[in-house]
Amino acid sequence: MRFLRVLGRYPVITVTVVVLAAVLLLHVVGEDVLGRWIATVCVAAFVVWTLVGMVRDVMRGHVGLDILAVVAMVATLAVGEYLASLIIVLMLSGGEALEDFAARRAKRDLTALLDRSPRIAHVIVHPLSGESDEVRDVAVDDVVVGDVLLVRPSEIVPVDGVLLSESGSFDESSLTGESLPVTREVGGDVLSGAINGTRAVHVRAVRRSVDSQYQQIVALVRAAEGSKAPVVRLADRFAIPFTAVALVLAGTAWLISGDSTRFAEVLVLATPCPLLIAAPVAFLAGLSRAAKTGVIMKGGAVIEQLARVRSAAFDKTGTLTEGRPDLVDVRPAPGFGQDELLLLAASAEQYSSHVLAEGIRRAAATRGLELLAAEAASEVATNGVTAEIDGRTVVVGKPAYVASLAADTERVSLGAGEAAAYVAVDGRFAGVLVLADDPRPESAAVISWLREQGLERITMLTGDTAATAETIAKDVGIDEVHADLLPPEKVRLAAQLHPRPVMMVGDGVNDAPVLAAADIGMAMGAKGATVAGDAADIVILVDSLAKVADAVSIGRHTLRVALTAIWIGIGLSVGLMIVAMTGVIPAVAGALIQELVDLATILYALRALGGPPSGLTSARPSRQERSNETTPRADL
């Protein structure tokens, strides 16, 4: 049955094999004329079908390489080499099957993500008795926020949730690329796509399926899988010169020998399979290798751009830094206490998505402060948040924004790597909350690696204050800093950067416009699906900046393999054509030899699945481990 399915999948191959067998049988019994007519009809039908495809390609603006194959088939028929013409048909149609096989091998890690996408969830219904829970299986798309789910041992977590069980162990390798299981305690985040360990656990859903981490990754993978790599452009660059060289060599052989058969013998060695198959396989292999390392690229065109990148721009918070700022000082203005200032600010920051807001809320929770609800709240992206709390108007944000609402706002001096959230209450300056966000341990190594790889310009584009930005930039090795930027200003500066292509690396909603506007937008998406991930060309699933270097390394290796595969195919074809000009390679033998050339180039293209790593590690010490090696900050 499997054999029959293969035959049904490639009908042209099936028909050609049957016709070739029939022609050979007729040749053995002496019915050459009938065999020639059958071969002619079969090849003519294939030529017409190929010509129709060529016309469609030309109408789409692509130069067709199939003209060589058409001329070769017509020439072999014209000189009576009908067996060679059938072999050419078999070779071209067989190239489709060979490409499918190589593509499946190249896409193995991409399709593995799709194949294991969770489809069923076990929803716990309120117990019918005090002894056991009723479990109902539902489609993962039907899970709603708040549902309590049962995840059995070795099952895939269907949606993002919070762990209700005391503890659990999860394999997140498909999400982050990290091979070691992670342990989560009660209340910890559990991501969809993670594989549960040896104990059943209860999880409360916090996102619907479509919004969960794994489904976002699957959507990215589907987009990458369905996209067309720039191999059409690569093939077009070589199509006209290769066609011209082949026709000149074939015509020269005919002219010198005076034998029209020589023309056909040369052209059968000029079929374009290496250009049409090997390069797409290389790009698919590159996409697959990137996915395996925790980097999702949205199509092969991204790989070519990434391989040629010459400038890079980085956001600061959450990109060059860890994105988890800790509150290190509370500086209230006269008339306000420390706890009062922190409570009001944290209560307002409940309604903010900014990374500093999380640090302020966390500090309030650590002090045991119970946050107040707001009657109304609004946020001005990248500037600050305003909330009506307990009859008071509380504003938390950048100094300029707060100063525009509280004229008595006073700027404060900050230490290295510190950032400040200014607070105003009822139009009066209330004080400053000072936070510090450490640079990622790998940031300096990544910047250095990019410079060694030939990037000519590396800059920082951030909405943070100049003093904080310049301190972090100095620590990681960036000389050019643009601070206090709003999203439109980031877009403008990214558009003005030269030389191009420009890669922008960022994290967060406010980075989405500049990620979409850059030649290559790269989002740090390890902490969940964001607008930035949707706008970016590349999403990094591992919380490490080292993956930026891995992505560039994979892009360059993939493009190098694709171009080398093309040149191997062209070189072997041209060399064999020159040999065939002497008449020592019969047409039938030439058609068979060309199939070996195709196989060699495709096998070489699969080298894109491997390749040298960037040499940077994703291993990152914890903040606690690093704090043991440095002087601790003053306690609040």
Side-chain angles (χ1 to χ4, degrees), residues 12-27 34-47 69 72-77 80-94 268 587-588 591-592 595:
V12 177
I13 297 177
T14 304
V15 172
T16 306
V17 169
V18 171
V19 171
L20 183 59
V23 170
L24 288 173
L25 181 61
L26 290 171
H27 175 73
L34 180 57
R36 177 174 298 182
W37 275 107
I38 293 174
T40 301
V41 171
C42 177
V43 174
F46 187 79
V47 167
M73 287 183 285
V74 172
T76 49
L77 284 178
E81 293 284 355
Y82 54 92
L83 286 177
S85 65
L86 282 173
I87 292 175
I88 295 174
V89 173
L90 184 61
M91 178 179 59
L92 291 173
S93 56
V268 296
V588 174
L592 294 172
E595 188 70 15

Side-chain angles (χ1 to χ4, degrees), residues 273-299:
C273 287
L275 297 183
L276 298 178
I277 298 177
V281 167
F283 277 92
L284 284 172
L287 291 174
S288 185
R289 182 188 171 202
K292 188 175 182 179
T293 63
V295 178
I296 301 296
M297 300 185 184
K298 299 180 182 179

Side-chain angles (χ1 to χ4, degrees), residues 21-59:
V23 170
L24 288 173
L25 181 61
L26 290 171
H27 175 73
V28 170
V29 300
E31 295 290 342
D32 286 344
V33 175
L34 180 57
R36 177 174 298 182
W37 275 107
I38 293 174
T40 301
V41 171
C42 177
V43 174
F46 187 79
V47 167
V48 171
W49 181 64
T50 304
L51 286 173
V52 171
M54 287 175 56
V55 171
R56 290 174 179 169
D57 285 342
V58 171
M59 291 178 66

Side-chain angles (χ1 to χ4, degrees), residues 196-215:
N196 187 23
T198 57
R199 295 193 308 169
V201 296
H202 289 177
V203 174
R204 175 177 286 113
V206 296
R207 294 188 184 91
R208 297 170 54 245
S209 171
V210 69
D211 300 321
S212 292
Q213 176 82 339
Y214 194 79
Q215 281 70 20

Side-chain angles (χ1 to χ4, degrees), residues 40 63 101 111 154 157 161 166 184 232 241 255 276 312 326 356 373 388 399 442 451 469 476 496 509 523 526 601 630:
T40 301
V63 180
F101 168 78
T111 53
S154 301
V157 179
E166 185 176 343
R184 296 280 185 258
V232 173
L255 182 64
L276 298 178
D326 289 329
L356 294 182
E388 298 292 333
E442 69 275 14
R451 293 192 192 281
V476 303
Q496 294 174 353
V509 174
T601 55
T630 59

